Amino acid sequence: MPTTASAPGKIILLGEHAVVYGRPAIAVPVWETVATATIMDLPAGRHCVIAAPDIGLHTSLIETPASFALALVVRLTLARLNLSPDPNWQIEVSSTIPIASGLGSGAALSTALVRAIYAHVGQPVTPTLLSELVFESERLYHGTPSGIDNTVIAYGLPLWFVKGQLPAIFTPRQPFTLAIADSGIAAPTKTTVGDVRQGWQADSVGYERRFDAIARLTWTARQVIEAGDIAELGALFDRNQALLAELGVSSPPLERLIEAAKAAGALGAKLSGGGRGGNVIALVAPEKVMAVQQALMANGAKNVIVTTVKA
Ligand code: MEV
């Protein structure tokens, strides 16, 4: 019998970049988009195959280089479970998460894979172990990731995250809706994280002050979300955005999307993730979703995903 497992996309609500410097961040899963992995047994003696039919990939595990993140994750998981490094499996992956758009598509695929392997051999896996295995593949892409992406995807719940600590799951008092606009601009996280590092090296006092300001408003955001004060959360998005712009990770196309969303009635908007390109998130009251979505599309968004964070 084939075994299938899935994992959601994710979005960072507040605290990106500062989280790399030990400050807290808040992230939520985006269950409207998912990555899926399916494992089928092949006849005995066949090599393990990794296939992604949507992108025409079909490769045998033993021939795949270590720099290929999915193969790395499969190898690590097999080793962790003391299984053969070349099981007679066909592993198929697919995803509805747009790639390279800040929704964690790579981490979600890796998470679905690890989950599918554990399920296929009938072993339970905790979110902590899942997240730990996927973190290794994140390192290939991002260099020095904080670990927030793999953690929120492994838990599949809203999280309060501080690097190197166990995350805290927390529950919003009220559901809230976000429009996630993809700018269509590829901006590798590794580059923006590297640029912030250069800025910090040149002006550590100024950058530390901004990281502290981001940490304070992220704390307030958690309280506001737990109290259900969604309008106040919008104002915190705006303040976080201003500080991200000061860190040098905003850009004119992102500012245009943010302004358009707010002009159409969003309660607040900011870039999410690495910045420069990637995503903008807008906090939107349900009756304004359509207008904000249209405004984002008319101002350069390539795609808009609407997600509701559940209470
Ligand atoms: C990227 O999704 C978020 C950053 O804070 C980098 C990281 O946390 O590793 C920009």
Side-chain angles (χ1 to χ4, degrees):
M1 282 291 281
T3 312
T4 295
S6 57
K10 68 87 204 159
I11 206 84
I12 296 179
L13 291 193
L14 299 110
E16 53 274 269
H17 286 292
V19 71
V20 176
Y21 297 81
R23 273 55 166 204
I26 296 174
V28 296
V30 178
W31 281 104
E32 286 74 6
T33 61
V34 286
T36 306
T38 301
I39 302 181
M40 285 155 284
D41 289 319
L42 296 172
R46 296 271 296 274
H47 289 302
C48 182
V49 167
I50 302 183
D54 298 347
I55 55 164
L57 175 88
H58 192 277
T59 175
S60 87
L61 176 63
I62 48 169
E63 284 166 5
T64 313
S67 57
F68 180 41
L70 294 185
L72 173 78
V73 148
V74 171
R75 287 195 187 105
L76 285 173
T77 310
L78 293 172
R80 181 66 72 114
L81 283 162
N82 289 320
L83 295 171
S84 153
D86 188 21
N88 55 322
W89 294 345
Q90 163 123 351
I91 305 177
E92 274 192 22
V93 292
S94 64
S95 175
T96 61
I97 307 173
I99 52 169
S101 71
L103 282 162
S105 57
L109 269 178
S110 296
T111 305
L113 258 176
V114 177
R115 261 197 191 127
I117 295 174
Y118 271 82
H120 199 64
V121 298
Q123 292 287 325
V125 60
T126 62
T128 311
L129 177 56
L130 248 179
S131 174
E132 197 184 296
L133 287 163
V134 174
F135 185 67
E136 293 306 317
S137 67
E138 288 289 283
R139 282 227 282 239
L140 275 183
Y141 292 125
H142 301 317
T144 54
S146 64
I148 189 168
D149 290 8
N150 46 291
T151 306
V152 66
I153 289 170
Y155 280 76
L157 291 166
L159 287 187
W160 172 263
F161 178 87
V162 178
K163 190 168 76 170
Q165 297 181 9
L166 274 180
I169 296 164
F170 73 101
T171 313
R173 165 77 63 93
Q174 301 279 347
F176 56 92
T177 301
L178 300 166
I180 306 167
D182 181 359
S183 68
I185 301 164
T189 303
K190 206 172 180 164
T191 309
T192 52
V193 168
D195 291 351
V196 171
R197 174 130 334 238
Q198 276 185 7
W200 176 75
Q201 278 159 351
D203 172 21
S204 64
V205 173
Y207 273 60
E208 287 289 332
R209 188 175 43 75
R210 292 179 186 105
F211 295 151
D212 283 340
I214 292 173
R216 280 194 297 275
L217 63 86
T218 303
W219 265 110
T220 311
R222 177 174 174 175
Q223 289 163 354
V224 154
I225 294 170
E226 287 179 325
D229 186 356
I230 301 308
E232 182 55 25
L233 180 62
L236 293 166
F237 273 23
D238 292 345
R239 280 164 49 199
N240 195 167
Q241 169 60 25
L243 287 158
L244 286 162
E246 287 181 26
L247 295 178
V249 293
S250 194
S251 66
L254 296 186
E255 299 287 345
R256 183 175 163 206
L257 287 169
I258 289 165
E259 287 316 313
K262 291 206 293 182
L267 298 164
K270 62 182 281 291
L271 70 84
S272 173
R276 293 270 163 72
N279 282 306
V280 157
I281 54 173
L283 183 68
V284 194
E287 66 277 10
K288 298 277 184 183
V289 167
M290 192 83 92
V292 170
Q293 206 169 354
Q294 280 167 359
L296 288 165
M297 290 303 288
N299 282 277
K302 298 291 168 289
N303 181 35
V304 179
I305 293 167
V306 176
T307 186
T308 297
V309 181
K310 295 187 186 65

